[in-house]
Amino acid sequence: MDTLLLARLQFATTTSIHFLFVVVTLGLVTLLVGLQTAWLLTGNPAWERLTRFWGQLYVINYVLGIATGIVMEFQFGLNWSGLSRYVGNVFGAPLAIETLVAFFLESTFLGMWIFGWHRLRRGVHLALLWGVALTAYASAFWIMVANSWLQHPVGYELRDGIAHLTDFTALLTNPTLGMAFGHVVAAALLTGGVLMAAVSAWHLIRRTPDFALFRTSLRIGLVTAALAVTLVQGFGFAQFGPVRQVQPTKFGGGPAADALVAEWTAKFGPGDYSTPVLSNVGLGFMILIGFTLGCVWLLLPLLWRDWIIRLRFPLWLILFALPLPFVAVILGWIAREVGRQPWAAYGLLPTGQAVSGVDAGVMLASLIGFSLLLGTLAVTNWTLLARHAARGAADPALGRPPGARDDDARPEPALA
């Protein structure tokens, strides 16, 4: 057994599972802000009911997602101590900021929002949700700052064989950051939109009592997905130029790549510095799914006079399309991260020097343990999401007035 291979498999498994939680969190919180803002502006209780329903799903995903994030971060000290020692002074700065934002500000705002129903003024309560959304985006931004530094180390100097941060501004202007962050945010919005549309389609197929509410959320989800998939494609293709400049080995050879490989060979010794085939495979299938999801634009005209509901067949298409954005984000992660190999920090720290010097048996045990733990959290998350989504929006537990019971629900005015 190879310790390095096991460590890479473990990190790939845990980060992939955690990323699925992240895209749902970012996507749903954006839609929630729109729903609750509409409730505040119109006073229509139907918007409140939608906010409570989708907010309940968001909270479930957020809580279990935080647990996966904590488990994932253990690996930096357990499996990648070489990375922590060598680049921790630089890489740790954005991660520390992200921790403060996510585990302090965002969670505080969310807790006050959850328990603030019927206790805070509507404007204050909405402001808390805006705070949750803004800190969620800030958290994603700082994670991408850290990841972009591994893709293209900037703003540092080596002293005594350790990287030290010398230019914090360089981290924020990294050429691998801007378009990548936009791509991730757009992918999250696409995932949230497809999730909202798919759950709504399921209720519309079954003709549940909340038909009018889910007709509205279907429209919101489809429009969000259509706009987001365009942004996903735009930000995705816009990354090719900067990546070719700073990572010339990522998409094949060429004079720049050959010169860089010659420099690495002289510095680190002979080795295979070519990009693994898995990276290009992931990229190809991600692009294919991206273009497939672009067909959501063809469904928008069917929203006129509710043709999409009358035909019913498009509702099944939306329902079966639910896994596609999740598969696409994992493939995108593979293309970005595997394409950096064989480097932990591109051109600076080989992956083999970043792994901890532990026994392969210990690494295998942690791989199995962490995979089972995160797999259990993921299955639990989707089971709870499916169960609460199937109950409909009659009277979600989130935001229920104190002392109210499930059988106290009364019909709410419908949305047009």
Side-chain angles (χ1 to χ4, degrees):
M1 293 184 292
D2 184 4
T3 299
L4 176 59
L5 177 60
L6 293 173
R8 291 181 60 192
L9 286 175
Q10 181 175 326
F11 197 77
T13 301
T14 55
T15 51
S16 296
I17 294 175
H18 178 64
F19 197 20
L20 298 179
F21 287 84
V22 170
V23 291
V24 173
T25 296
L26 279 177
L28 277 187
V29 75
T30 308
L31 293 167
L32 275 177
V33 166
L35 293 175
Q36 188 163 346
T37 301
W39 172 39
L40 179 68
L41 295 178
T42 65
N44 190 334
W47 288 113
E48 179 194 9
R49 188 55 55 83
L50 280 175
T51 303
R52 291 171 56 196
F53 173 77
W54 292 107
Q56 186 165 269
L57 301 186
Y58 168 79
V59 170
I60 292 171
N61 184 81
Y62 182 92
V63 171
L64 291 170
I66 286 291
T68 63
I70 294 173
V71 172
M72 185 190 70
E73 290 189 1
F74 277 119
Q75 292 173 101
F76 288 114
L78 293 174
N79 297 354
W80 302 101
S81 57
L83 176 70
S84 300
R85 286 194 302 267
Y86 194 82
V87 303
N89 292 323
V90 181
F91 184 68
L95 286 184
I97 297 174
E98 188 275 336
T99 300
L100 291 174
V101 170
F103 288 95
F104 288 89
L105 284 177
E106 185 181 359
S107 58
T108 299
F109 286 142
L110 181 60
M112 294 175 67
W113 181 77
I114 293 173
F115 298 104
W117 288 86
H118 312 293
R119 294 178 175 86
L120 300 173
R121 293 183 179 181
R122 289 186 180 181
V124 175
H125 193 240
L126 175 60
L128 290 172
L129 184 59
W130 274 93
V132 173
L134 293 176
T135 49
Y137 278 93
S139 176
F141 173 77
W142 288 110
I143 286 293
M144 290 304 299
V145 168
N147 179 266
S148 296
W149 190 87
L150 295 180
Q151 300 288 337
H152 179 55
V154 293
Y156 73 97
E157 68 176 12
L158 292 177
R159 297 197 300 267
D160 300 325
I162 296 177
H164 293 269
L165 182 63
T166 58
D167 185 1
F168 189 80
T169 304
L171 297 181
L172 307 181
T173 57
N174 195 322
T176 62
L177 172 61
M179 295 301 170
F181 176 64
H183 188 62
V184 168
V185 169
L189 290 174
L190 173 61
T191 305
V194 172
L195 177 62
M196 178 173 283
V199 172
S200 302
W202 185 80
H203 281 280
L204 293 173
I205 291 171
R206 297 178 66 247
R207 299 281 176 172
T208 58
D210 307 309
F211 184 88
L213 291 178
F214 286 111
R215 180 180 61 181
T216 299
S217 59
L218 174 71
R219 294 173 178 175
I220 295 172
L222 283 180
V223 171
T224 300
L227 296 174
V229 75
T230 303
L231 294 175
V232 166
Q233 294 170 355
F235 282 119
F237 286 113
Q239 293 181 69
F240 281 91
V243 169
R244 282 196 178 97
Q245 292 179 3
V246 300
Q247 293 180 321
T249 60
K250 197 164 193 174
F251 299 121
D258 295 339
L260 198 54
V261 169
E263 179 184 336
W264 292 340
T265 302
K267 184 177 180 180
F268 297 98
D272 183 8
Y273 296 105
S274 59
T275 302
V277 176
L278 181 61
S279 173
N280 291 326
V281 171
L283 178 65
F285 279 103
M286 180 194 66
I287 293 175
L288 179 62
I289 293 176
F291 281 123
T292 301
L293 289 172
C295 296
V296 71
W297 280 100
L298 301 178
L299 298 177
L300 296 189
L302 297 179
L303 295 176
W304 186 68
R305 293 185 180 274
D306 288 337
W307 279 107
I308 194 171
I309 300 174
R310 297 179 185 180
L311 293 174
R312 292 179 68 83
F313 178 68
L315 297 178
W316 286 104
L317 289 179
I318 296 169
L319 187 59
F320 290 135
L322 178 58
L324 292 182
F326 294 97
V327 175
V329 297
I330 296 302
L331 293 174
W333 179 87
I334 290 175
R336 183 173 174 87
E337 297 303 299
V338 176
R340 188 176 74 236
Q341 294 303 316
W343 303 100
Y346 190 80
L348 181 63
L349 178 65
T351 308
Q353 297 179 16
V355 69
S356 299
V358 301
D359 184 74
V362 175
M363 191 67 73
L364 177 61
S366 66
L367 167 62
I368 296 173
F370 278 15
S371 297
L372 288 175
L373 177 57
L374 268 78
T376 301
L377 290 173
V379 172
T380 302
N381 181 61
W382 286 104
T383 301
L384 291 175
L385 287 178
R387 181 179 301 172
H388 285 274
R391 291 178 178 176
D395 188 28
L398 178 68
R400 184 179 296 161
R405 302 189 306 273
D406 291 337
D407 55 2
D408 291 336
R410 296 181 175 85
E412 297 288 358
L415 294 164

